[in-house]
Amino acid sequence: MKSIIVGTDFSKGSFVALELATDIANKMECDIKLIWAKREKLLIDEEQQTIMTLLAEEKLKRLCEEYQPMLHSGTIRWEICKGKVAAVIAREARHANAPMIVIGTNGASGFEKYWMGSTAVRIVQEAPVPVLTIREGFNFHKQLERIVVPIRVNVNSRQKVPPAASMAKMFGAEIHILGLIDSPDQSSHLRAYMMQTAEFLGNEGIPYVSTVKKYKNYGDEVLNYAESVNADLVVINTEQDRIISQLFLGTNAQQIVHKSQLPVLCIHPADIFNFAK
């Protein structure tokens, strides 16, 4: 059975990530694998390293005991892996045949400050599967009702639509197709892309609305629109192909991951993945 990978640093943000991952795992009928990355600390001795690892083991065991009753058909297990966080998470996702990775992006008050800023970006860069990032303040208990899918005149822009549709089906959500344009010359092409997206969603039986907006700053426009419609999820591409994205996530995607107060599902355009069970 497939396993959703959940990275934890025992912060409030990572607990929210685990809650959302549990809900998704129930809908996908898959397992959860909880990962804590153990990194060598040059400023502490071996005894302190051992104590820290034992504390992590206790916390992981308690989390598994707490969340196992919430899983309807799957299991939750944990593992401590040695290495850099992003590399560890990516490796475990490959080994577990993971449909996605779920991480919290605010670890400032937690056991380790792993997930702040650039670490979340590096996880998205190196991940072989879609990554769902979620902040500590997100109201998990609110029903996921509206998903924003930005569409531009870009060869990869529509590749995010199938995973967004899968999420919409899981949660019974409505998709907001947000057409973004920065030049009038792109109008006809954007209209065609949006019509193709609408046709796909209609064939899948997914409710949708379409909106076109001019933009100067892509990330700000996406997040402002998501806030205006009280969205619960934003689905974006990482903008680069696999080889380039390992070095550079893309300015727009990076800005959205950093700024968004909503969960963000990041898709590598070249990824081949399946949200089905």
Side-chain angles (χ1 to χ4, degrees):
M1 186 180 288
K2 295 180 179 180
S3 296
I4 294 174
I5 299 298
V6 180
T8 187
D9 59 352
F10 309 115
S11 66
K12 291 180 180 178
S14 66
F15 295 155
V16 174
L18 180 54
E19 285 192 58
L20 184 54
T22 301
D23 196 23
I24 295 172
N26 284 332
K27 289 177 169 60
M28 298 178 69
E29 297 183 14
C30 65
D31 296 332
I32 289 176
K33 189 170 185 181
L34 194 57
I35 301 296
W36 182 72
K38 176 184 178 181
R39 298 188 297 179
E40 291 186 359
K41 304 274 187 187
L42 298 179
L43 299 180
I44 62 177
D45 59 29
E46 185 174 345
E47 182 179 359
Q48 291 173 312
Q49 290 264 19
T50 300
I51 293 173
M52 187 170 65
T53 301
L54 290 173
L55 287 173
E57 288 180 359
E58 292 177 6
K59 290 174 181 286
L60 289 165
K61 289 176 182 177
R62 286 202 299 270
L63 283 172
C64 288
E65 291 172 357
E66 179 182 352
Y67 280 86
Q68 182 58 62
M70 303 178 192
L71 284 172
H72 300 159
S73 59
T75 60
I76 179 170
R77 62 193 189 280
W78 60 271
E79 186 171 347
I80 293 177
C81 302
K82 187 176 180 179
K84 294 183 178 180
V85 177
V88 164
I89 296 295
R91 184 183 68 234
E92 292 303 313
R94 292 188 185 93
H95 290 171
N97 191 26
M100 72 166 64
I101 293 165
V102 183
I103 57 170
T105 57
N106 189 343
S109 61
F111 188 76
E112 293 284 358
K113 298 181 180 180
Y114 281 177
W115 310 106
M116 289 297 289
S118 61
T119 303
V121 170
R122 286 197 297 272
I123 292 171
V124 175
Q125 286 171 337
E126 298 190 27
V129 298
V131 179
L132 181 60
T133 63
I134 180 171
R135 285 195 182 275
E136 175 183 329
F138 175 67
N139 181 9
F140 165 77
H141 299 289
K142 178 183 180 298
Q143 179 66 30
L144 196 157
E145 298 174 337
R146 284 172 286 277
I147 299 173
V148 172
V149 180
I151 298 292
R152 292 189 297 170
V153 180
N154 179 294
V155 66
N156 295 321
S157 186
R158 291 160 293 174
Q159 292 187 14
K160 69 175 80 74
V161 176
S166 295
M167 290 292 286
K169 284 183 176 180
M170 285 183 211
F171 290 92
E174 174 185 74
I175 286 185
H176 284 244
I177 308 168
L178 175 60
L180 292 171
I181 188 170
D182 61 356
S183 168
D185 297 338
Q186 300 175 342
S187 297
S188 60
H189 287 92
L190 180 64
R191 191 180 308 114
Y193 282 13
M194 294 183 70
M195 289 178 63
Q196 291 167 2
T197 301
E199 182 179 5
F200 175 84
L201 296 176
N203 291 337
E204 294 293 316
I206 298 170
Y208 65 88
V209 297
S210 296
T211 305
V212 176
K213 289 185 174 291
K214 294 181 66 176
Y215 74 94
K216 292 183 179 179
N217 183 295
Y218 175 82
D220 286 346
E221 194 64 54
V222 170
L223 295 178
N224 288 339
Y225 176 80
E227 182 180 0
S228 73
V229 299
N230 196 25
D232 307 293
L233 176 68
V234 176
V235 182
I236 63 171
N237 282 345
T238 56
E239 303 166 325
Q240 306 288 350
D241 62 34
R242 168 58 65 190
I243 295 175
I244 297 175
S245 69
Q246 289 178 344
L247 302 175
F248 180 65
L249 179 61
T251 302
N252 293 326
Q254 184 168 330
Q255 180 184 6
I256 290 173
V257 169
H258 278 311
K259 288 186 175 182
S260 180
Q261 299 301 310
L262 303 173
V264 178
L265 182 62
C266 300
I267 311 293
H268 290 293
D271 284 346
I272 300 174
F273 53 86
N274 183 8
F275 277 91
K277 62 183 179 180

